[in-house]
Every structure is written in structure tokens, then in C-alpha cells.
Amino acid sequence: MEASVAVFSPSRERAEARAVPWYCHALVIAASSILIGLLWDISWHTTIGRDSFWTPAHMAIYLGGVLAGVSCGIVVLKTTFAGTAQERAASVRVWGMRGPLGAWYAIWGAFAMITSAPFDDWWHNAYGLDVKILSPPHVVLALGMMGVVMGAVLLVLSLQNRAETGERWARTAYAYASGIGVAMLMILISEYCRPNLQHGALFYLITAAILPLALTALGRASRLRWPVTAVAACYMGLVLAISWILQLFPAQPKLAPIFNPVDHMVPFGFPLLLVVPAFAIDLVLRRMERRNDWLVAGAVALAFVATFVATQWLFSMFLLSAAADNPIFMGGNRTWSYGARAGSWMYEFWDQDTDRFTTRTALLVVVFAYLSARVGLARGKSLRQVMR
Amino acid sequence: MRRRALMVVALAAMATPLAAHVGSLSSFYEGAAGPYPVRVVVRPPGVVPGLAEITVRTSSPGITRVAVKPVKWDAGEAGTPPADEAKPVSGDRSLYAANLWLMTRGSYSIYVDVAGPHGTGRAIVPITNIATRRLPMPRSTGVLLAIFGALLAAGAISIAGAGARESRLAPGAAVDTTHRRRGWMAMGATALVLALMVGRGNAWWSAIDREYRARMDKPFHVTTATRDGMLNLTIDDRAWHDDAARFTPLMPDHGKLMHLFLIDESKSTFAHLHPLSDSRDRFHAALPPLPPGRYRLFADITHESGYTQTLVDRLTVPAIAAAPAATDEDDSWMRGNGSGAIRFASREPLRANADTDLRFTVDGTPEPYMGMPGHAIVVADDFSVFVHLHPMGSVSMATQQKFLERDRKQSAAHASMTVMTSDMLPMPMAGANAASSHELRFPFAFPHPGRYRIWVQTRMNGRVVTGVHDVTVQ
């Protein structure tokens, strides 16, 4: 990783930002809108219960999709039919048309989001409203949303890697967009990540399989000084900010039966303390920059497992305690829906008999983390070279 | 996922509806909300969670507001959101309509609050909310999804190829053989991953569908047998045994723990019995001297939560040498065309799904039979519908009383609101809608067209009298 020395000056920053193509800003805004809408919608269903197609949360999600699809559609058309030599040089060809790779991802993602709408509508009429977050139509929507977010990541990444004007903006934007990506991943697996499950095996197995890959791949391609930490910090910052803001708004359940009378929007909950293992990964990557990736993966895996397991094991105990029952840490029953029957189960670790964290679990976690890190390092190496 | 659409349609065609009152999910209530006579129909959606349609008809003048809310038996009124306002239906000044989400399975009551010149009144309309159907995917949606799905798959493969082939080239560089090969490999790998995802997605969808169908609510399984002129019924359903916490105990409805009906295949013999309970699972009743043959059995039970079920079975009744004495003094049976003293008086033609009244004129004065002026049993030609009605509707009076009892325990705040359950209404007719005291009226809507047989029972001069009538519904 290069150490970059730069003089900070406000006018230079503004000039940088202006040099960035408008559609990069648009796509980053679209990705943000999707994340905000998603967390808002989850809160809506947890608090109020009833919704229609036209709730503000849904609009934020679809606006993100439409903005992404339309702006990237314009970029592709312009590059194909009226592009400058420079624009055409920095594009890839799909179905005879040209555009940046990130733009293609975003268009695909927007299309998938649109496809999921009639599918989801029929699904609710046939099987009722969703009890779980993931149903087949929601998987299509999730793939679409990830497509838009990955599009934003790739677009700003290519800007960073081409090292033209706007590169400094792109570095920050890349960490931010990657943070959105990690947040989306965490939402998808959120039902396995409740604090009550963090003394069990399954939580660590799933996170070990996913997180080293995501963090290493995204982090390795960044040109910031502490890239993985930056990505983790963006993820935590986004989830916290949105959760804290949502909690401020009074709301009332509109569906029966109400066993947990909530009076404000229910927040998503405190994010995983990913900055800790992220910092450990950063340290490893800095020290072992020139080494063989098979070795680096081993070091990353051990660093991740040691820091992540220790942090979450202890932090989850805090989150389930009375000390965390406040709007900052959102412990207690603050993340449970209007339909949850109050009980001691909310403050306990679950499945302690069936989901025990044994020595065997620990070994498996390390193996998963190793494989995940190895793939992540390879992907990170490829991402570093994305120019278009 | 495209083949799925066709399979789904085929499977749905084979799906048979299953319901609490057999073949008819809706709740009908003819009664009063405080000082205002009302007629309420609740049509649950058949999927859970789903949207139920509620219609309230009241011809009282000066009504200012009609509001409805769904009350789950174990959450009570405290665990219910604020009421929704029912809006007047255009073109019909006395009809109000609203939609309510019923989120879980089980026993609910719809509280209908009517405000007007005489204050506020409430009617409690129980509804057993269960999942009974799985909607097929409309062909147009299936085709649309198939096309979009194909486009998305092709797009994903091409974009993956473009990414591997060109995205890591310096801007403006030409594509060389190595990169072209990488492009093809990426496309191949993506196609493989997509194929796996579609396969897994199909399997997942099938699993959800299977699980949904398995959980579509069926009434308890029962085994019936006859011996020495006695009918023995055993509830041998696993849920009743293993999952006892899910179900509250049975409670009597208009005086009886179970109302059991035996109808022979030709529908010429009809018996209305009230078995006694030996234990939680076993019931027995003395059989009247029925002609031997194959019979269909329908048994209505009500749980303390308000959840109602109709147990269904078939049995062969042997020739009975000496019929034992009736188990219950209210047991009755008959053969043939029934009494001429009870005659069908509704205007035909009758239409399916249209709110109507089944009217019967009675020569003589009907006396209460188990607390009701009359009972009507409606059975479809193929036995796909079985409904047990009273002039107050299809709802269980015992359930209404239970909900009221629970409310009174929960708060005294509603002392100002008048709540009427059917037992409070003056005899012999429920509500003030009766035309004459020699007419029995049962609110109902036939669920589908076809032929139906209706038996109407009342008591006159101390004896149970049964009238029979066949209708064709369009």
C-alpha cells in the first residue's frame, strides 16, 4: 500500500469532487438510498407492521434502484453512441454497447429489483406476508440491491485505480460504498447475528465464512492507509446513524396482536464491532505485504478469528445486560417487534444445548476463515486492477 | 423458475379447500351493536397473514361512525391497534366496508363499534382465521417473470464475461487472447452458478410450498366406530395429543360440548346428536334407529379460545337391533322430506357469494331448541360444504361471551359502551329484523354455485320438527 502524502485544502477538495463524473455521485447516492430504505423498511415492519406499496421506506429503495438504472442507462447510451475517446477507452462491451463495468452492474441490479416487485406481490397473496426476511422474491430483490451497490463500488474503484483527477474523492467514496456493501451483507444474514446467538457455533461459522472474504477483498483494493478499518468503520457508522435517527420518531403498531407495545420506530440494533478485527487485518496486511498469499491468508484468518470471537463473545454479553438498555446501545427489548411476547428469553443466550461452541467449532471457524481470507485476497488482487 | 410456474398451476388445480365449517370460511352475524341492529359478514382471506373483508349493514338512521378492529383471543383488546373506520359503500347507504389484516392463525373476534344518535354500541363477531388455500400464479405473471428471469440470467453471464475480459485492461488497450479466454471462463462459471442457483431456488420454493400446504389448517383427525347401538368418536389427531399447549380445552356452545350430524350418502336421513365426553379425546352418543348404510359425519366443536372446528369422517352404520335410549334429550333424527310445516320462502334465484337470507315460514309458533329459535344445516350436493347456521348467523355465542368476559376482566373502561351478545337479544328472534314471529331467517352466502340441501330444525309443541328443502344456487 502506498503511503500517500497530500496537502489538504478545501478548494482543492471541491475541484476534485467536481472532476468526478456526475454518474458516480448519482450511483453512490442511489446505493445510500437503498441502504437507508432497507433499514427503514425493516423498522417499519417491526414497529407498525402494516404497509402498502407507497410507504416512504419503499420509495427510498425504489428511488435508489430507479436512479441507478436511469443514470447508468444514460451513461451506457452516451458512451456507446456519443462517447469521447477517453470515455470509450474506460468502458467494457456488453451486447454491443459500451459502458463502465460498474454501470452495467447497476443496470442489472435495477432490472432485478423491478422484476422482484410482481413476484413479491404474488408471493404475499399466495403465502401471506413474510415472517422471515428471505423469501425467493426477496432474494431476487436482494441480488438486485447488491448489484446496484457493487456497481457503485466498482465505479468509484475504477476511478481510484485510473489515478486521474478525482482519485482522492474516489478513495473515500470507495471505502464508503464498500461499507454500504458490508452493511447489506450483514442485513441479509441478520437473523443469525442477534446478540442472543453469539455464544453459539452457527453465528461464528457463518461470519467466518463471509466476513474475511468481504473485508479482505474490499480492503486490499483500497488505497487508503487503513482500508479494512475504514470499510468497517463506514459499515458501523451507517448502521448506527440510521438506527439512532429512526428511534427518534414516534410510531404505533397498526396490526394485531400486539404483545410488545412499542411507541417509537424499532431500530435495527447495534452493529457487529467489526472495526476491531478489521484493524487486526490491516496490521497483518501492512506487515506481510510482499509475502505469499497462502501464508497471508493464514495470518489474516488467525487475526480475524482471535479478535472477532473475543470481541463479539464479550460484547454480546454486554448487549444483553441491563447496562445496554438505552437508546445508544439499543439493548433490552428495544429491537423486538410489536408482536414479540415479552420474556426472559429476550435477555438470554439461546440454543445453548443444540448450538454449542466447542473446540471442534473453533477449528472449523479457523478453517472457514482461512478459505474465506484466501479467496478474499485473490479477489482483492483482481479488484486492485479494475480500470474500467 | 419458469417451469415452476406451470407446475404451480397444475398443483393448485388439485388443491381442495379445507375449512372450519367445511367449505365456507366466512362468519355471518345478525344481531345488534348496542341499540343498533347490525348484520356483519367477515370474509377471511384463506391465507395467513392476509386481508379480511368486513361488511356491516345497519339500517338505523343517523349513524355517524362504524369502526372495526381485530382482537386476538390471547392478546385481548389491549393488544389491538386502534380501530379502522369502515367506509360507506357507494350506492348502498346502509352498507359499510373495511379491510383488516389478520396476522396469525387462530381465534379472533372482529369488534364492530357503531356510533349514532343513541350513543355507541359494540357487536362482537368471532372468526376462526386459518390458512385454507394457496393461490395459483396467473399465467401472465408467470410468463412475465420467465422473460425477465431469462434476460437477467443472460445479462449476468455477459456482464461477468465483460468484467473478466476487459475491466482490468488499461483504458484503451486492445483485448488479447488471454483476456478473451478469461472472459469465456467467467461466462461459463457464471452460467454454472446460475444453474445451481435456479435449481436450489426451485427446491427452496417447493419446500416452502409443501410446508405451507402441510400447515394449511385441517380439522382434527377423528376415528369413529359403532358398537351395540352406540357411536364412539375419538379425536386421534397428533396435534391434539402432542401439541396440547397450542389448543385450549373444549367448551360448550349453546349448551353442548359437541354437535354431531349424521347424513347418509343419499341425504335422505338426517340425525342431530350431542355426544357426551368420556375424556379429552373420547365421546359417545346413542344412535337413533337409523337405516343401515354409509353416512357422513360432521361434528362441531368450540375451544375456550373461541377457535371452532368441524370434524369430518365417514362411517357405516349397521342395522341396529334395539336402539338404546338417547344420550341427550335434545338429540333428534328424521328421514324423508321432512315436515310440511316448514316451508322455504326466500326469493329465487339464489346466487353464489351474494349476501342473502334463507327464509322459512313456519306453521305454528317456534319454541327455543337449545336456546335457538331454529337451526339450519346447509350441505352441498358433493358434501364439499357443511354449515350450521342460526338466525343470529354462523358465529358461536359461547365465543362472543368469552371475548366479552375477557374484556370485562381487562378493563372497566368500556362501561359506557353497550355490548350485545346474542344471548342478550330478545327471544324468539335475534335482532329487530324479523318480519313475523312465524318466520325463521338465517343470514348466509353460498360459497359456490351448485345444488344444496337445507335442513331446518325448530321445536313446536315440545317436539323437534325438521323441514327439508333443496336449492340450486347460480
Side-chain angles (χ1 to χ4, degrees):
Chain A
M1 230 151 306
E2 317 140 15
S4 90
V5 179
V7 174
F8 173 77
S9 89
S11 56
R12 188 187 154 154
E13 293 294 322
R14 275 201 294 278
E16 284 272 334
R18 264 202 301 272
V20 170
W22 65 274
Y23 50 87
C24 293
H25 292 294
L27 204 44
V28 171
I29 291 172
S32 310
S33 185
I34 285 175
L35 179 67
I36 293 169
L38 189 55
L39 285 173
W40 193 352
D41 198 42
I42 292 173
S43 179
W44 192 288
H45 282 282
T46 315
T47 318
I48 300 171
R50 178 202 307 192
D51 71 352
S52 65
F53 186 76
W54 299 102
T55 60
H58 286 172
M59 288 303 100
I61 296 176
Y62 285 114
L63 192 75
V66 166
L67 181 62
V70 168
S71 49
C72 292
I74 291 174
V75 170
V76 163
L77 288 172
K78 179 165 188 296
T79 315
T80 311
F81 297 112
T84 64
Q86 193 186 25
E87 283 167 355
R88 292 175 74 80
S91 65
V92 301
R93 192 169 62 91
V94 175
W95 292 356
M97 295 194 284
R98 301 203 71 94
L101 184 65
W104 286 112
Y105 268 70
I107 292 171
W108 186 93
F111 202 64
M113 287 172 72
I114 292 172
T115 304
S116 76
F119 189 19
D120 202 30
D121 193 52
W122 172 81
W123 187 274
H124 291 155
N125 289 334
Y127 298 112
L129 284 184
D130 321 281
V131 182
K132 295 188 175 187
I133 289 186
L134 282 185
S135 62
H138 282 181
V139 168
V140 178
L141 181 64
L143 287 172
M145 293 192 289
M146 285 305 278
V148 171
V149 172
M150 283 310 297
V153 168
L154 287 169
L155 200 60
V156 297
L157 180 65
S158 64
L159 202 62
Q160 174 199 266
N161 291 349
R162 285 204 298 275
E164 300 160 351
T165 2
E167 188 234 343
R168 283 175 42 80
W169 177 89
R171 281 190 206 179
T172 324
Y174 174 69
Y176 173 77
S178 300
I180 295 179
V182 172
M184 300 277 306
L185 265 180
M186 294 285 82
I187 293 172
L188 287 178
I189 62 169
S190 57
E191 69 176 274
Y192 302 105
C193 296
R194 283 205 164 265
N196 314 75
L197 292 167
Q198 290 181 22
H199 275 197
L202 190 60
F203 165 72
Y204 292 103
L205 290 169
I206 291 179
T207 45
I210 294 177
L211 284 174
L213 199 165
L215 290 173
T216 330
L218 292 167
R220 199 176 211 196
S222 169
R223 293 187 185 187
L224 295 172
R225 289 176 68 100
W226 299 95
V228 187
T229 315
V231 171
C234 285
Y235 149 69
M236 288 185 67
L238 280 163
V239 174
L240 281 172
I242 297 171
S243 285
W244 285 336
I245 291 173
L246 277 171
Q247 274 183 126
L248 294 172
F249 290 90
Q252 205 187 26
K254 288 217 176 115
L255 290 180
I258 303 169
F259 291 116
N260 179 27
V262 294
D263 52 11
H264 283 76
M265 292 291 279
V266 173
F268 189 67
F270 207 90
L272 299 181
L273 277 178
L274 275 191
V275 280
V276 177
F279 187 65
I281 296 178
D282 265 338
L283 284 174
V284 167
L285 290 178
R286 282 169 80 95
R287 295 218 137 209
M288 299 183 73
E289 211 171 301
R290 310 256 173 258
R291 307 290 214 95
N292 184 299
D293 270 355
W294 294 97
L295 218 58
V296 179
V300 166
L302 286 171
F304 174 82
V305 172
T307 48
F308 184 71
V309 174
T311 319
Q312 293 306 136
W313 196 275
L314 294 170
F315 194 59
S316 57
M317 291 167 73
F318 167 70
L319 284 178
L320 292 181
S321 72
D325 191 355
N326 52 61
I328 310 272
F329 290 102
M330 299 171 282
N333 64 346
R334 286 163 192 271
T335 57
W336 289 103
S337 83
Y338 65 89
R341 289 179 204 243
S344 60
W345 59 275
M346 287 177 171
Y347 312 94
E348 290 166 354
F349 286 103
W350 302 339
D351 302 333
Q352 292 288 274
D353 313 316
T354 47
D355 190 31
R356 282 175 50 231
F357 191 96
T358 59
T359 329
R360 188 165 157 252
T361 314
L363 287 170
L364 267 178
V365 166
V366 171
V367 170
F368 281 17
Y370 178 76
L371 295 168
S372 180
R374 183 63 191 91
V375 174
L377 286 169
R379 293 302 305 148
K381 210 157 141 191
S382 304
L383 282 177
R384 233 186 215 175
Q385 298 161 354
V386 170
M387 299 281 188
R388 305 184 182 199
Chain B
M1 276 196 197
R2 357 204 196 296
R3 251 174 295 137
R4 191 83 207 108
L6 296 167
M7 247 184 92
V8 148
V9 173
L11 277 174
M14 299 191 296
T16 41
L18 304 150
H21 252 152
V22 189
S24 166
L25 275 181
S26 308
S27 259
F28 302 90
Y29 176 64
E30 177 101 36
Y36 312 104
V38 290
R39 181 205 182 89
V40 182
V41 181
V42 179
R43 288 189 173 82
V47 293
V48 181
L51 210 52
E53 278 175 40
I54 294 128
T55 53
V56 180
R57 187 180 286 283
T58 174
S59 45
S60 294
I63 300 287
T64 49
R65 188 169 186 261
V66 176
V68 295
K69 58 176 158 180
V71 179
K72 187 93 196 295
W73 75 275
D74 50 355
E77 211 181 340
T80 307
D84 270 38
E85 181 149 355
K87 303 259 178 353
V89 173
S90 64
D92 191 337
R93 258 175 302 149
S94 62
L95 191 64
Y96 296 78
N99 286 337
L100 286 177
W101 279 100
L102 300 180
M103 298 301 292
T104 55
R105 287 176 168 77
S107 168
Y108 276 85
S109 273
I110 308 295
Y111 282 23
V112 180
D113 294 332
V114 179
H118 309 293
T120 324
R122 167 174 287 173
I124 296 179
V125 185
I127 178 93
T128 296
N129 191 41
I130 52 176
T132 58
R133 64 191 181 102
R134 214 269 290 119
L135 214 64
M137 182 178 279
R139 193 178 164 71
S140 53
T141 314
V143 167
L144 192 75
L145 286 178
I147 293 175
F148 276 34
L151 278 173
L152 284 170
I157 293 172
S158 303
I159 293 171
R165 189 176 55 239
E166 295 175 51
S167 71
R168 285 182 278 161
L169 292 173
V175 184
D176 62 349
T177 345
T178 327
H179 280 90
R180 210 173 287 279
R181 199 168 20 146
R182 280 194 195 152
W184 286 117
M185 280 169 59
M187 288 169 81
T190 310
L192 194 65
V193 168
L194 278 174
L196 282 169
M197 279 175 68
V198 171
R200 285 284 303 147
N202 252 347
W204 183 23
W205 188 344
S206 311
I208 292 178
D209 196 60
R210 260 197 315 273
E211 193 203 51
Y212 181 82
R213 282 164 179 282
R215 289 181 68 221
M216 268 178 8
D217 298 274
K218 302 181 185 50
F220 288 154
H221 185 267
V222 294
T223 307
T224 49
T226 57
R227 219 178 87 146
D228 300 331
M230 296 295 285
L231 170 69
N232 294 310
L233 182 148
T234 311
I235 303 178
D236 53 3
D237 195 287
R238 241 180 357 160
W240 186 232
H241 285 272
D242 302 340
D243 217 353
R246 251 179 73 198
F247 298 95
T248 48
L250 300 182
M251 71 169 174
D253 193 6
H254 50 286
K256 315 291 180 188
L257 212 52
M258 181 184 285
H259 296 262
L260 190 149
F261 298 88
L262 286 171
I263 302 170
D264 76 323
E265 295 281 351
S266 65
K267 300 192 200 61
S268 54
T269 311
F270 172 87
H272 181 173
L273 309 176
H274 304 100
L276 297 174
S277 137
D278 303 315
S279 70
R280 194 171 167 266
D281 315 323
R282 289 199 211 294
F283 296 80
H284 71 268
L287 284 172
L290 301 168
R294 295 281 298 161
Y295 283 77
R296 302 264 188 150
L297 180 149
F298 300 93
D300 284 341
I301 52 173
T302 308
H303 294 259
E304 276 179 15
S305 62
Y307 190 86
T308 53
Q309 303 188 55
T310 302
L311 311 171
V312 176
D313 201 7
R314 298 189 205 203
L315 74 155
T316 309
V317 172
I320 304 165
T327 322
D328 187 287
E329 60 180 5
D330 289 315
D331 286 355
S332 62
W333 79 284
M334 51 80 73
R335 265 168 85 169
N337 294 328
S339 165
I342 302 180
R343 288 186 306 283
F344 190 61
S346 285
R347 245 180 324 178
E348 303 200 59
L350 295 164
R351 289 192 198 289
N353 291 309
D355 239 356
T356 186
D357 281 318
L358 303 177
R359 292 176 202 245
F360 293 85
T361 48
V362 179
D363 293 338
T365 312
E367 294 153 20
Y369 176 29
M370 289 180 290
M372 298 286 176
H375 302 250
I377 282 80
V378 181
V379 174
D381 215 31
D382 56 359
F383 291 102
S384 63
V385 176
F386 168 90
V387 184
H388 176 183
L389 292 169
H390 306 106
M392 57 174 252
S394 62
V395 300
S396 151
M397 201 160 74
T399 306
Q400 287 179 318
Q401 287 164 338
K402 266 283 186 226
F403 271 86
L404 194 54
E405 226 175 78
R406 274 186 213 113
D407 287 346
R408 289 210 177 110
K409 280 199 204 130
Q410 270 187 359
S411 84
H414 293 285
S416 60
M417 191 181 290
T418 330
V419 186
M420 302 282 265
T421 53
S422 321
D423 59 318
M424 298 172 181
L425 296 162
M427 287 295 291
M429 291 305 158
N433 298 339
S436 79
S437 60
H438 300 300
E439 186 187 66
L440 292 170
R441 272 177 32 178
F442 303 90
F444 189 57
F446 290 92
H448 58 74
R451 286 187 61 78
Y452 293 81
R453 175 159 281 209
I454 308 172
W455 287 268
V456 178
Q457 295 191 300
T458 183
R459 215 190 267 277
M460 287 200 289
N461 302 319
R463 275 179 51 247
V464 176
V465 177
T466 308
V468 186
H469 183 75
D470 291 327
V471 292
T472 308
V473 173
Q474 297 172 354

